[in-house]
Amino acid sequence: MSDEHSTAGSYVHEGEEFERDMDYIPDRLTRAGGEPVDHRAGTGKESPADAPRWPVEAGRYRLAAAKACPWANRAIIVRRLLGLEDAIGLGLAGPTHDARSWTFDLDPGGKDPVLGIERLQEAYFARYPDYPKGITVPAIVEVESGQVVTNDFPWITHDFFFEWTDHHRDGAPNLWPEKTRDEMEDVMKRVFTEVNNGVYRCGFAGSQEAYESAYDRLWTALDWLEERLSTRRYLMGETITEADVRLFTTLARFDPVYHGHFKCNRAKLTEMPALWGYARDLFQTPGFGDTTDFEQIKRHYYYVHIDINPTQIVPTGPDVSVWSTPHHREELGGSPFGDGTPPA
């Protein structure tokens, strides 16, 4: 199956279930002189032991991302929460792409000002001239060589926390607290398989049977999250963790896109009290709402997925001002950054 956050094309295959291709460039950016910290990165999949290692080095790499893409949006959020802006540059592609690649059409002249390229495809081909797979965001690109290093999105944010610690800002939050780390891995895996990927399983189902199965799985997970978040402010308790980042990017897209475009329409996010309050709490936390662009999100999905929306008409609604209304989640206690501080 085609991997949605790569390039335009056919995503719905008649009679088939959607299956995300998780075979990414496995390289890791790790601290010199030590073994990398290895968990499951919230997917249940170990990093290959023989995956190439690149040294962590401020200024050497650039994060190529797009605010429209939920997988890239999480990398943008984590980079900001940890204060890695001075250590890792950020190149933002526009919300739409064609069958070849994401493009840097938001920049003057249509080129990334640091990498000097029009298409992210150029960085992939600089390392792999015959790269056969989708050109995905997020991706880490080495600035000097212009070559892609990795596009393995669960490990990118994992390593931002564990391997880039020397470059974290003072007061950076603990996104992987040791006391809840094992449980968090399990929570993130369920969020990934059943929610982050579950909405795509609904939207790209190739048969009624596949769609209904995907729909039931998604809402079983959302009901579980609604119950979990009715008694705790964040997924893992009193402070934000990477688990919250990963869930937030799907929730932010739920009413504008997934509810209608992907047929995940049992209820809107605004009709789920705990999840809606939780989502607004995060949106109003520095690092989340200020990295979310609802117009780019809508334009990406409704314009690129011509299988589902052949007219490419982008809806005007919903009203996003509701994201700034009071959430009252502080009544559950806790604080987003714990002993840390918000990003500037």
Side-chain angles (χ1 to χ4, degrees):
M1 284 283 181
S2 176
D3 196 359
E4 187 278 333
H5 64 291
S6 55
T7 48
S10 179
Y11 306 113
V12 179
H13 296 258
E14 186 175 353
E16 296 182 13
E17 295 182 357
F18 172 74
E19 183 178 347
R20 185 173 299 281
D21 182 358
M22 290 294 291
D23 185 19
Y24 296 102
I25 302 169
D27 298 33
R28 300 270 302 278
L29 275 66
T30 60
R31 289 173 293 180
E35 288 298 314
V37 176
D38 279 336
H39 303 292
R40 290 167 289 162
T43 64
K45 180 181 177 182
E46 299 285 354
S47 175
D50 59 350
R53 312 296 190 201
W54 298 63
V56 165
E57 188 177 316
R60 180 171 174 175
Y61 308 101
R62 189 161 177 82
L63 172 64
K67 287 186 176 181
C69 170
W71 320 99
N73 196 179
R74 68 166 61 166
I76 297 170
I77 293 172
V78 170
R79 173 181 174 269
R80 174 151 160 69
L81 292 176
L82 297 177
L84 291 172
E85 291 95 331
D86 290 339
I88 306 171
L90 176 63
L92 288 174
T96 63
H97 53 67
D98 57 22
R100 290 172 58 194
S101 178
W102 293 85
T103 59
F104 294 101
D105 52 2
L106 301 177
D107 293 307
K111 289 187 177 183
D112 179 270
V114 174
L115 299 175
I117 58 177
E118 296 180 352
R119 294 175 174 272
L120 183 56
Q121 182 187 59
E122 296 173 56
Y124 280 72
F125 286 175
R127 185 174 178 195
Y128 303 106
D130 299 317
Y131 189 74
K133 302 174 71 65
I135 307 300
T136 66
V137 290
I140 299 292
V141 180
E142 185 181 40
V143 174
E144 183 176 355
S145 68
Q147 296 183 358
V148 67
V149 173
T150 181
N151 63 343
D152 202 341
F153 66 91
W155 289 102
I156 288 174
T157 52
H158 172 283
D159 290 343
F160 278 178
F161 180 78
F162 285 104
E163 305 295 336
W164 288 79
T165 51
D166 291 342
H167 304 281
H168 290 181
R169 65 179 176 86
D170 292 337
N174 184 359
L175 297 180
W176 290 72
E178 188 171 357
K179 65 180 181 180
T180 60
R181 197 169 293 164
D182 289 341
E183 181 189 5
M184 193 175 92
E185 289 270 13
D186 294 336
V187 169
M188 289 195 301
K189 181 182 178 183
R190 186 171 184 183
V191 166
F192 170 66
T193 59
E194 304 304 302
V195 181
N196 299 149
N197 201 42
V199 293
Y200 290 91
R201 200 179 293 116
C202 290
F204 296 149
S207 70
Q208 188 70 34
E209 182 181 13
Y211 163 70
E212 291 179 1
S213 174
Y215 180 94
D216 289 343
R217 285 179 61 178
L218 170 66
W219 284 102
T220 296
L222 288 174
D223 286 341
W224 163 68
L225 288 166
E226 177 73 10
E227 181 179 1
R228 183 180 182 93
L229 289 165
S230 65
T231 57
R232 62 179 76 198
R233 187 167 178 184
Y234 304 106
L235 278 176
M236 303 313 302
E238 296 187 343
T239 62
I240 58 172
T241 65
E242 175 139 346
D244 298 298
V245 177
R246 295 183 180 199
L247 178 57
F248 172 78
T249 57
T250 294
L251 296 182
R253 289 156 177 77
F254 199 87
D255 285 5
V257 176
Y258 302 146
H259 179 271
H261 185 59
F262 278 178
K263 308 178 187 70
C264 304
N265 60 355
R266 195 189 78 180
K268 296 177 181 177
L269 176 64
T270 54
E271 296 166 346
M272 295 179 275
L275 277 165
W276 175 226
Y278 163 82
R280 279 177 293 160
D281 189 2
L282 290 176
F283 180 82
Q284 295 169 33
T285 299
F288 290 83
D290 51 21
T291 60
T292 301
D293 189 315
F294 290 111
E295 289 306 313
Q296 287 198 35
I297 289 168
K298 289 190 297 181
R299 183 159 179 78
H300 169 69
Y301 285 91
Y302 287 99
Y303 190 86
V304 171
H305 298 162
I306 55 176
D307 303 37
I308 303 172
N309 187 40
T311 64
Q312 297 180 303
I313 295 172
V314 180
T316 302
D319 178 10
V320 298
S321 67
V322 295
W323 282 87
S324 299
T325 58
H327 53 75
H328 305 296
R329 294 286 291 180
E330 66 277 0
E331 296 172 6
L332 293 172
S335 64
F337 297 99
D339 295 331
T341 59

